[in-house]
Amino acid sequence: MTPGTFMQPTKNLLMDPFRLFPAVTRMFEEPLAMFRPMLPLEESYWPIAAWTPLCDVFETDKEVVLKFELPEVKKEDVKVTMDNNVLTLKGERKFEKETNRENYHRVERHYGEFMRTFNVPMFVDAAKINAEFRDGVLVVTLPKREEAKTKEIEVKVN
């Protein structure tokens, strides 16, 4: 094992056509490796920029639900607003300031501010929107108005 490779994903060496060419493999795995001595270790090199948290949207008979993945984001760093039938999620995932950047071998996760917006259907009751944050997942529940819920109509025979 060469120094610094302990954090790289493992590969099946029998299936790797470049196993005999470690320099070529490194070039494909880390395209900027050949330019690393020229890159300054500044904010632009680190992934501290706008990012987009993943979201699932699904609908039931009674509500529309949005689930956002927000690992390591504090509740106080998240804001959910509704204005003119547009739901907006804003927040920030902060990089740990006490960590020495020289000790990092790889930084793949994104940090910084994020914002997502969604057009909300007219049948949503904006006064009853609920947001819960638990285990790194934000669940926003948009209840449907009573008149928008599915109703079964009895068919009469004459």
Side-chain angles (χ1 to χ4, degrees), residues 6-21:
F6 68 96
M7 299 203 44
Q8 294 179 355
T10 58
K11 294 184 182 178
N12 182 348
L13 294 179
L14 298 175
M15 301 302 288
D16 184 3
F18 295 109
R19 71 181 176 272
L20 300 176
F21 307 103

Side-chain angles (χ1 to χ4, degrees), residues 56-107:
D56 291 340
V57 180
F58 62 92
E59 183 176 353
T60 67
D61 291 338
K62 298 179 181 182
E63 59 199 10
V64 177
V65 179
L66 293 88
K67 281 187 169 186
F68 296 93
E69 285 186 5
L70 299 172
E72 295 186 11
V73 176
K74 296 178 182 171
K75 179 186 148 219
E76 51 271 5
D77 292 334
V78 176
K79 184 177 180 183
V80 180
T81 58
M82 174 84 153
D83 187 32
N84 291 329
N85 282 53
V86 175
L87 182 81
T88 303
L89 172 73
K90 289 182 183 180
E92 182 178 12
R93 178 163 57 193
K94 298 176 181 173
F95 193 79
E96 300 170 10
K97 300 263 188 225
E98 66 273 358
T99 304
N100 188 354
R101 292 182 180 195
E102 288 79 26
N103 292 340
Y104 271 83
H105 296 276
R106 181 180 298 254
V107 178

Side-chain angles (χ1 to χ4, degrees), residues 100-131:
N100 188 354
R101 292 182 180 195
E102 288 79 26
N103 292 340
Y104 271 83
H105 296 276
R106 181 180 298 254
V107 178
E108 293 182 348
R109 298 184 314 140
H110 291 276
Y111 297 88
E113 296 179 351
F114 59 85
M115 184 173 89
R116 298 283 312 256
T117 59
F118 296 87
N119 291 325
V120 175
M122 296 299 289
F123 60 75
V124 167
D125 188 352
K128 296 180 181 175
I129 293 175
N130 184 35

